[in-house]
Amino acid sequence: AQSVAQPEDQVNVAEGNPLTVKCTYSVSGNPYLFWYVQYPNRGLQFLLKYITGDNLVKGSYGFEAEFNKSQTSFHLKKPSALVSDSALYFCAVRDISNDYKLSFGAGTTVTVRA
Amino acid sequence: DGGITQSPKYLFRKEGQNVTLSCEQNLNHDAMYWYRQDPGQGLRLIYYSQIVNDFQKGDIAEGYSVSREKKESFPLTVTSAQKNPTAFYLCASSTLAGGRYNEQFFGPGTRLTVL
């Protein structure tokens, strides 16, 4: 069975500091990995995805994520956080052997203080 | 949220009532999905459909039903058999062209509350 874990319920950073949101995954085959962001009472917005190739993936709003196969991780990063980055972030994985199921982590609430 | 609309934004249900949540997309996507979101639990898949007139159960289909009569529409009915329906419901869609790694696009959600 495929799954993702987001070990931190909350991440707090000061504006201008680096932001990291952690995600680890478990799949039986090669993973397709995604990051989404959700603002209060809104739907999820796609940030970026890893399919294959370069382990560093660049996405929307200055976010990037690093795929690490040996550590089965896909951490989301932003070099300089903004107050407007405060939101709920979800990591998700799709198993290559299962063409519809996208498994989500429980989410990490990011708070960026001014 | 662009391209996928959900209505209503807020919905209140009395005990024993069936209610239907609307989801429409104009992205010409083949696949559509319904998720339930509860605090601290992430998103859980209720039903999905990859083609008109066909759909499959997800992880928590009990107490829910769907239909896919048109490519653009994928309504979800929350029946009285669903014992704890209070949640935030999200509809999503994705294209199947090009492979299995296409991202899903989400609607703005419907918040259902049981009175």
Side-chain angles (χ1 to χ4, degrees):
Chain A
Q2 61 192 41
S3 65
V4 291
Q6 295 181 239
E8 300 165 317
D9 292 335
Q10 292 193 354
V11 171
N12 298 305
V13 298
E15 188 172 34
N17 282 2
L19 170 63
T20 298
V21 187
K22 297 179 180 178
C23 172
T24 58
Y25 66 89
S26 175
V27 297
S28 57
N30 291 325
Y32 296 150
L33 294 155
F34 303 80
W35 274 103
Y36 287 85
V37 61
Q38 184 181 33
Y39 297 97
N41 294 311
R42 302 287 299 276
L44 275 65
Q45 296 178 28
F46 169 74
L47 283 177
L48 50 80
K49 65 182 177 183
Y50 172 81
I51 305 302
T52 186
D54 195 344
N55 290 341
L56 185 63
V57 179
K58 294 190 181 298
S60 305
Y61 313 119
F63 284 95
E64 58 189 27
E66 186 170 9
F67 173 70
N68 188 316
K69 188 172 183 178
S70 63
Q71 297 185 4
T72 61
S73 68
F74 189 56
H75 300 332
L76 181 70
K77 300 179 180 181
K78 187 171 185 179
S80 179
L82 301 172
V83 172
S84 57
D85 293 328
S86 298
L88 181 58
Y89 291 80
F90 289 100
C91 180
V93 65
R94 172 175 286 148
D95 192 324
I96 192 172
S97 64
N98 191 326
D99 64 356
Y100 74 89
K101 188 174 175 61
L102 195 62
S103 297
F104 286 84
T108 298
T109 299
V110 170
T111 301
V112 182
R113 60 184 184 277
Chain B
D1 297 350
I4 302 178
T5 58
Q6 291 185 243
S7 62
K9 187 173 182 178
Y10 299 97
L11 185 57
F12 299 91
R13 193 193 92 168
K14 295 181 180 179
E15 295 281 351
Q17 257 186 348
N18 292 356
V19 292
T20 298
L21 284 59
S22 170
C23 177
E24 304 276 335
Q25 55 99 359
N26 62 4
L27 301 169
N28 198 32
H29 284 172
D30 306 289
M32 298 186 74
Y33 314 81
W34 273 106
Y35 292 91
R36 171 179 172 143
Q37 184 179 13
D38 296 282
Q41 294 192 42
L43 276 69
R44 293 181 289 168
L45 183 65
I46 305 173
Y47 270 98
Y48 75 103
S49 168
Q50 292 182 299
I51 194 171
V52 173
N53 292 323
D54 186 47
F55 48 83
Q56 285 76 41
K57 294 181 178 180
D59 298 320
I60 56 165
E62 185 175 353
Y64 300 97
S65 66
V66 293
S67 63
R68 187 88 185 275
E69 297 178 0
K70 298 186 299 181
K71 187 176 184 178
E72 305 79 22
S73 179
F74 192 42
L76 173 74
T77 296
V78 183
T79 75
S80 57
Q82 171 50 239
K83 298 306 179 187
N84 185 24
T86 295
F88 192 50
Y89 290 87
L90 288 161
C91 179
S93 70
S94 67
T95 178
L96 298 179
R100 300 167 176 171
Y101 43 78
N102 299 312
E103 60 271 24
Q104 294 179 11
F105 292 84
F106 285 79
T110 292
R111 187 166 297 280
L112 173 62
T113 302
V114 174
L115 302 175

